[in-house]
Amino acid sequence: MTLSVRTSLPKIMRRAAVAFTAGMIGLAGSVFGLSGTAHAATGIHVSNGRILESNGNDFVMRGINHAHAWYPGQTSSSLAAIKAKGANTVRVVLATGHKWTRTPASEVSGIVSQCKANRLICVLEAHDTTGYGEDSGAATLSQAVDYWTGIKSALVGQENYVVINIGNEPYGNTNYTQWTSATQQAISRMRGAGFQHALMVDAPNWGQDWSGTMRSNASAVFNSDPARNTIFSIHMYGVYDTAAEVQSYLNAFVNARLPIVVGEFGNNHSDGNPDEDAIMATAQSLRLGYLGWSWSGNGGGVEYLDVVSNFNAGQLTTWGQRLVNGANGIAATSREASVFGGTGSGGGTAPNGYPYCQNGSATDPDGDGWGWENSRSCVVRGGPADR
């Protein structure tokens, strides 16, 4: 997402593409294949299609985006306010210096410290890649990797608290078929540079993947990561204006045991009216993360995407009320990460009727998906017994 209206395909063309890819859902398992377990993962990591903390606790993101790159003076108060609304995660906009003023390592260190102080998991994203191929000023994913390696000192040792979102919406509607190879190369370079963090990759087509490019190639991208620690992010705006489209897309990843989050979404947009009720309800039923766009400061005709007016935490907008206090909203469903002393997303009951293990895979030494807590069997979220 950018602060102004972006170019997108006409609705009818996007609809045709979505209809075609939705028709391929039955083939999702064969297209994707099953994903493996993270190899030598550190901190937040992926296992069996689930996002886990270092102790094995399931972690479901519930959060809000904040545009630090454009409003650095608002970051401190915004992170505190986002936490106060109940969020467990914040996605923070950074800039590589290609389109917007570069966010230096010292500044990133401060952001990470503020996230930790507010007990928020921090998803850091490089925004300059937005719409590459269609936006002539956008950076490449390779240039985004250059940025991350340049600020590596601010990130090493923060693997329990930070997810690196390599590049925001890295392709527009032009040359988006290059997304797969470019994303694989970016992941390879990040691992080669020594990053052990969970990496997040955004879909092409301005993040909405109407072409099904990310969905069809997610398994290949995931398996190209030697750490098997890559999270996929879909941005849901006008393309996802029906429950069927939302459910089809998210279920394709869940069925293929590939980790997916809704990295951005809203209740309205210039390219159509997203079904925010279906997005939030489906994410909750599938135990998937979502991150609403965005705290405040939107312009260019999309001011309705502000969660609060004028960075005032006491002035929730219509969208903010829905996101924070509505059904399946942040206040009702967010659980603080256990790294901060919270319960994470442990607890609750598995489909087979057994309780979920509060301590995740730490109580499952043989890896069969079953643990033992409080003198009874429990199920590890996302494990073989979670059926």
Side-chain angles (χ1 to χ4, degrees):
M1 182 65 196
T2 61
L3 293 184
S4 59
V5 179
R6 57 191 168 192
T7 305
S8 58
L9 283 185
K11 181 70 171 179
I12 188 168
M13 294 176 69
R14 289 185 285 105
R15 271 229 179 267
V18 170
F20 171 77
T21 53
M24 298 296 289
I25 268 302
L27 300 178
S30 58
V31 170
F32 283 132
L34 295 180
S35 63
T37 300
H39 297 169
T42 300
I44 296 170
H45 63 281
V46 172
S47 179
N48 200 30
R50 302 297 302 168
I51 301 171
L52 308 179
E53 294 188 69
S54 59
N55 62 2
N57 268 20
D58 205 57
F59 184 68
V60 178
M61 296 182 187
R62 288 285 180 269
I64 300 172
N65 287 261
H66 167 61
H68 170 84
W70 305 300
Y71 301 105
Q74 298 287 350
T75 296
S76 179
S77 59
S78 295
L79 296 190
I82 288 170
K83 177 63 178 183
K85 297 301 182 188
N88 62 20
T89 306
V90 62
R91 181 172 179 259
V92 182
V93 175
L94 307 180
T96 67
H98 293 87
K99 284 199 68 171
W100 296 284
T101 302
R102 186 178 187 272
T103 313
S106 58
E107 205 167 306
V108 174
S109 291
I111 293 168
V112 173
S113 294
Q114 291 177 61
C115 284
K116 291 163 70 175
N118 286 290
R119 302 162 75 92
L120 290 165
I121 295 300
C122 201
V123 177
L124 300 175
E125 60 104 335
H127 210 80
D128 300 57
T129 56
T130 306
Y132 175 74
E134 191 170 343
D135 185 335
S136 60
T140 65
L141 279 173
S142 180
Q143 289 170 321
V145 174
D146 292 340
Y147 170 72
W148 293 116
T149 56
I151 64 164
K152 183 180 174 184
S153 61
L155 302 173
V156 172
Q158 304 300 332
E159 292 86 356
N160 281 322
Y161 308 97
V162 171
V163 174
I164 300 175
N165 193 171
I166 300 177
N168 183 70
E169 301 179 0
Y171 281 88
N173 295 321
T174 303
N175 297 326
Y176 57 84
T177 56
Q178 299 172 7
W179 175 89
T180 303
S181 60
T183 300
Q184 289 174 320
Q185 291 166 18
I187 292 169
S188 177
R189 287 189 59 206
M190 291 291 285
R191 297 302 182 209
F195 286 97
Q196 299 182 57
H197 305 68
L199 301 177
M200 184 178 286
V201 295
D202 281 8
N205 309 129
W206 299 96
Q208 297 200 75
D209 200 29
W210 57 259
S211 64
T213 299
M214 183 171 83
R215 189 170 74 180
S216 296
N217 294 284
S219 180
V221 169
F222 184 88
N223 289 322
S224 74
D225 180 358
R228 302 297 193 273
N229 199 18
T230 295
I231 300 165
F232 298 93
S233 174
I234 182 67
H235 294 182
M236 289 188 160
Y237 293 106
V239 170
Y240 299 93
D241 56 0
T242 69
E245 290 164 331
V246 172
Q247 293 163 4
S248 292
Y249 197 91
L250 296 180
N251 271 299
F253 282 78
V254 171
N255 292 339
R257 303 294 177 84
L258 290 165
I260 181 81
V261 301
V262 182
E264 290 186 19
F265 74 110
N267 68 336
N268 192 15
H269 201 43
S270 54
D271 67 344
N273 184 12
D275 190 339
E276 70 279 6
D277 292 340
I279 293 168
M280 295 167 73
T282 305
Q284 177 64 10
S285 67
L286 296 175
R287 307 195 322 274
L288 301 178
Y290 64 66
L291 304 166
W293 183 276
S294 69
W295 183 244
S296 200
N298 287 284
V302 295
E303 292 83 356
Y304 48 76
L305 287 172
D306 283 356
V307 173
V308 300
S309 299
N310 301 313
F311 290 95
N312 185 335
Q315 294 184 359
L316 283 170
T317 63
T318 299
W319 166 224
Q321 286 285 0
R322 176 67 191 91
L323 176 66
V324 174
N325 297 319
N328 303 302
I330 288 172
T333 66
S334 178
R335 301 293 181 268
E336 186 177 84
S338 60
V339 71
F340 299 119
T343 60
S345 299
T349 303
N352 61 18
Y354 283 85
Y356 283 118
C357 301
Q358 292 284 350
N359 296 315
S361 60
T363 56
D364 178 25
D366 60 2
D368 66 354
W370 290 95
W372 183 262
E373 292 179 349
N374 302 316
S375 301
R376 68 168 298 182
S377 295
C378 59
V379 172
V380 177
R381 284 187 185 271
D386 192 6
R387 299 287 186 274

